[in-house]
Amino acid sequence: MADLVAAGAPELPEGWFYRVKEEYGVGFKVEIREQQRFTSREVSSSWVHENRFDDMAAAVVDACRYAYLYAGERADTQAKLAALAEFLGDHDPKGGRA
């Protein structure tokens, strides 16, 4: 990960890492993953658009930036959904039954 960060990719929180992988027949993908006890889970991902860049390192770093952006958006959405969950249930304007 240090090579990607040195090239301009966002630094990730502790326990997260980048994985660059080839999806056969589709292309290359950057995943942001969170280390679990025995495995890892995908936090976010983005496709590498190699046709937009002459330098493939720049293409991978660009995908890292988008994956990081998507991870932030996902976290914001999850926080909003958690706040909305507090309102679950019936809301009687009269204060409910006695």
Side-chain angles (χ1 to χ4, degrees), residues 90-97:
D90 297 334
H91 298 271
D92 187 347
K94 297 179 184 175
R97 296 183 188 189

Side-chain angles (χ1 to χ4, degrees), residues 3-98:
D3 294 339
L4 289 174
V5 171
E11 192 162 336
L12 299 176
E14 185 71 29
W16 288 17
F17 62 94
Y18 290 110
R19 177 179 288 168
V20 181
K21 59 190 274 187
E22 183 177 7
E23 296 286 332
Y24 294 102
V26 181
F28 288 85
K29 182 173 151 181
V30 171
E31 294 178 347
I32 294 177
R33 301 190 67 85
E34 181 179 21
Q35 187 64 49
Q36 305 276 299
R37 185 172 183 173
F38 296 111
T39 185
S40 63
R41 74 171 184 89
E42 183 180 316
V43 174
S44 180
S45 66
S46 180
W47 292 101
V48 177
H49 296 283
E50 69 282 348
N51 54 339
R52 296 182 187 169
F53 297 88
D54 292 330
D55 178 15
M56 292 303 101
V60 171
V61 167
D62 183 66
C64 291
R65 288 180 182 144
Y66 276 104
Y68 187 77
L69 177 70
Y70 299 148
E73 290 173 355
R74 182 179 288 178
D76 290 344
T77 299
Q78 288 174 342
K80 288 177 182 177
L81 293 175
L84 283 171
E86 294 179 18
F87 293 98
L88 288 174
D90 297 334
H91 298 271
D92 187 347
K94 297 179 184 175
R97 296 183 188 189

